Amino acid sequence: MANMIYGFTPTHPGEVLKDEIEERGIQQKVLAESMGISYKVLNDILNERRPVTTDTAMMFEAALDIPATTLLQLQMKYNYQKAKNNPTLAERVASIRKMAASVLW
């Protein structure tokens, strides 16, 4: 399963959002209040400790005019890359493929 591991680090949408609000000079507390979410939730997203959900992506789109679909695609690619680089999951997938090949074919 070594072919499942890639050498680059995926971009979490929080990194993009953090850069954007810093560039615009927006305070996190002000943005959180305007979006109706807690400062902690916003800070966790910006520091890559929490994923961007469909709801939060739509809120960011309303607040910052960044397309929700772009944020969701970044999140999906981030999640996928993290899963691909997870050795435990790689072993599990290999086991499933082995079993499926012997049972289904």
Side-chain angles (χ1 to χ4, degrees), residues 95-105:
S95 174
I96 292 168
R97 285 189 177 150
K98 190 180 209 180
M99 182 180 56
S102 65
V103 174
L104 300 175
W105 305 105

PDB file of all heavy atoms in Angstrom, residues 95-105:
ATOM      1  N   SER A  95      -6.831  -5.179   3.176  1.00  0.00           N
ATOM      2  CA  SER A  95      -7.488  -6.400   3.633  1.00  0.00           C
ATOM      3  C   SER A  95      -8.850  -6.574   2.962  1.00  0.00           C
ATOM      4  O   SER A  95      -9.203  -7.677   2.529  1.00  0.00           O
ATOM      5  CB  SER A  95      -7.640  -6.347   5.154  1.00  0.00           C
ATOM      6  OG  SER A  95      -8.378  -7.441   5.622  1.00  0.00           O
ATOM      7  N   ILE A  96      -9.594  -5.507   2.851  1.00  0.00           N
ATOM      8  CA  ILE A  96     -10.912  -5.559   2.199  1.00  0.00           C
ATOM      9  C   ILE A  96     -10.750  -5.930   0.733  1.00  0.00           C
ATOM     10  O   ILE A  96     -11.498  -6.767   0.206  1.00  0.00           O
ATOM     11  CB  ILE A  96     -11.651  -4.214   2.359  1.00  0.00           C
ATOM     12  CG1 ILE A  96     -12.020  -3.992   3.825  1.00  0.00           C
ATOM     13  CG2 ILE A  96     -12.891  -4.167   1.472  1.00  0.00           C
ATOM     14  CD1 ILE A  96     -12.481  -2.579   4.144  1.00  0.00           C
ATOM     15  N   ARG A  97      -9.774  -5.326   0.061  1.00  0.00           N
ATOM     16  CA  ARG A  97      -9.548  -5.635  -1.357  1.00  0.00           C
ATOM     17  C   ARG A  97      -9.178  -7.106  -1.540  1.00  0.00           C
ATOM     18  O   ARG A  97      -9.636  -7.757  -2.480  1.00  0.00           O
ATOM     19  CB  ARG A  97      -8.452  -4.740  -1.916  1.00  0.00           C
ATOM     20  CG  ARG A  97      -8.936  -3.346  -2.152  1.00  0.00           C
ATOM     21  CD  ARG A  97      -7.937  -2.516  -2.909  1.00  0.00           C
ATOM     22  NE  ARG A  97      -8.558  -1.209  -3.137  1.00  0.00           N
ATOM     23  CZ  ARG A  97      -7.895  -0.087  -3.229  1.00  0.00           C
ATOM     24  NH1 ARG A  97      -6.578  -0.076  -3.148  1.00  0.00           N
ATOM     25  NH2 ARG A  97      -8.523   1.049  -3.439  1.00  0.00           N
ATOM     26  N   LYS A  98      -8.344  -7.606  -0.646  1.00  0.00           N
ATOM     27  CA  LYS A  98      -7.924  -9.003  -0.722  1.00  0.00           C
ATOM     28  C   LYS A  98      -9.127  -9.928  -0.555  1.00  0.00           C
ATOM     29  O   LYS A  98      -9.313 -10.875  -1.316  1.00  0.00           O
ATOM     30  CB  LYS A  98      -6.887  -9.275   0.352  1.00  0.00           C
ATOM     31  CG  LYS A  98      -6.190 -10.595   0.264  1.00  0.00           C
ATOM     32  CD  LYS A  98      -5.188 -10.698   1.412  1.00  0.00           C
ATOM     33  CE  LYS A  98      -4.031 -11.567   1.046  1.00  0.00           C
ATOM     34  NZ  LYS A  98      -3.059 -11.670   2.146  1.00  0.00           N
ATOM     35  N   MET A  99      -9.946  -9.634   0.455  1.00  0.00           N
ATOM     36  CA  MET A  99     -11.127 -10.440   0.720  1.00  0.00           C
ATOM     37  C   MET A  99     -12.123 -10.327  -0.436  1.00  0.00           C
ATOM     38  O   MET A  99     -12.649 -11.335  -0.902  1.00  0.00           O
ATOM     39  CB  MET A  99     -11.804 -10.009   2.020  1.00  0.00           C
ATOM     40  CG  MET A  99     -13.018 -10.851   2.361  1.00  0.00           C
ATOM     41  SD  MET A  99     -13.841 -10.381   3.877  1.00  0.00           S
ATOM     42  CE  MET A  99     -14.191  -8.660   3.598  1.00  0.00           C
ATOM     43  N   ALA A 100     -12.342  -9.133  -0.928  1.00  0.00           N
ATOM     44  CA  ALA A 100     -13.299  -8.929  -2.007  1.00  0.00           C
ATOM     45  C   ALA A 100     -12.837  -9.639  -3.281  1.00  0.00           C
ATOM     46  O   ALA A 100     -13.651 -10.219  -4.009  1.00  0.00           O
ATOM     47  CB  ALA A 100     -13.483  -7.436  -2.279  1.00  0.00           C
ATOM     48  N   ALA A 101     -11.545  -9.621  -3.536  1.00  0.00           N
ATOM     49  CA  ALA A 101     -11.023 -10.296  -4.733  1.00  0.00           C
ATOM     50  C   ALA A 101     -11.250 -11.794  -4.665  1.00  0.00           C
ATOM     51  O   ALA A 101     -11.556 -12.431  -5.676  1.00  0.00           O
ATOM     52  CB  ALA A 101      -9.533  -9.975  -4.889  1.00  0.00           C
ATOM     53  N   SER A 102     -11.112 -12.371  -3.491  1.00  0.00           N
ATOM     54  CA  SER A 102     -11.292 -13.825  -3.380  1.00  0.00           C
ATOM     55  C   SER A 102     -12.753 -14.215  -3.318  1.00  0.00           C
ATOM     56  O   SER A 102     -13.118 -15.304  -3.756  1.00  0.00           O
ATOM     57  CB  SER A 102     -10.561 -14.352  -2.135  1.00  0.00           C
ATOM     58  OG  SER A 102     -11.137 -13.839  -0.966  1.00  0.00           O
ATOM     59  N   VAL A 103     -13.601 -13.354  -2.820  1.00  0.00           N
ATOM     60  CA  VAL A 103     -15.022 -13.683  -2.677  1.00  0.00           C
ATOM     61  C   VAL A 103     -15.820 -13.300  -3.923  1.00  0.00           C
ATOM     62  O   VAL A 103     -16.663 -14.058  -4.383  1.00  0.00           O
ATOM     63  CB  VAL A 103     -15.623 -12.965  -1.440  1.00  0.00           C
ATOM     64  CG1 VAL A 103     -17.116 -13.169  -1.367  1.00  0.00           C
ATOM     65  CG2 VAL A 103     -14.953 -13.468  -0.180  1.00  0.00           C
ATOM     66  N   LEU A 104     -15.543 -12.150  -4.461  1.00  0.00           N
ATOM     67  CA  LEU A 104     -16.358 -11.623  -5.537  1.00  0.00           C
ATOM     68  C   LEU A 104     -15.910 -12.051  -6.934  1.00  0.00           C
ATOM     69  O   LEU A 104     -16.670 -11.979  -7.866  1.00  0.00           O
ATOM     70  CB  LEU A 104     -16.403 -10.091  -5.473  1.00  0.00           C
ATOM     71  CG  LEU A 104     -16.988  -9.526  -4.162  1.00  0.00           C
ATOM     72  CD1 LEU A 104     -16.885  -8.019  -4.155  1.00  0.00           C
ATOM     73  CD2 LEU A 104     -18.427  -9.959  -3.980  1.00  0.00           C
ATOM     74  N   TRP A 105     -14.701 -12.465  -7.075  1.00  0.00           N
ATOM     75  CA  TRP A 105     -14.210 -12.774  -8.423  1.00  0.00           C
ATOM     76  C   TRP A 105     -13.973 -14.229  -8.528  1.00  0.00           C
ATOM     77  O   TRP A 105     -13.647 -15.080  -8.818  1.00  0.00           O
ATOM     78  CB  TRP A 105     -12.961 -11.979  -8.761  1.00  0.00           C
ATOM     79  CG  TRP A 105     -13.207 -10.510  -8.584  1.00  0.00           C
ATOM     80  CD1 TRP A 105     -12.758  -9.727  -7.580  1.00  0.00           C
ATOM     81  CD2 TRP A 105     -13.982  -9.647  -9.406  1.00  0.00           C
ATOM     82  NE1 TRP A 105     -13.183  -8.434  -7.720  1.00  0.00           N
ATOM     83  CE2 TRP A 105     -13.942  -8.347  -8.846  1.00  0.00           C
ATOM     84  CE3 TRP A 105     -14.715  -9.819 -10.566  1.00  0.00           C
ATOM     85  CZ2 TRP A 105     -14.595  -7.264  -9.399  1.00  0.00           C
ATOM     86  CZ3 TRP A 105     -15.358  -8.718 -11.098  1.00  0.00           C
ATOM     87  CH2 TRP A 105     -15.306  -7.471 -10.527  1.00  0.00           C
TER      88      TRP A 105
END
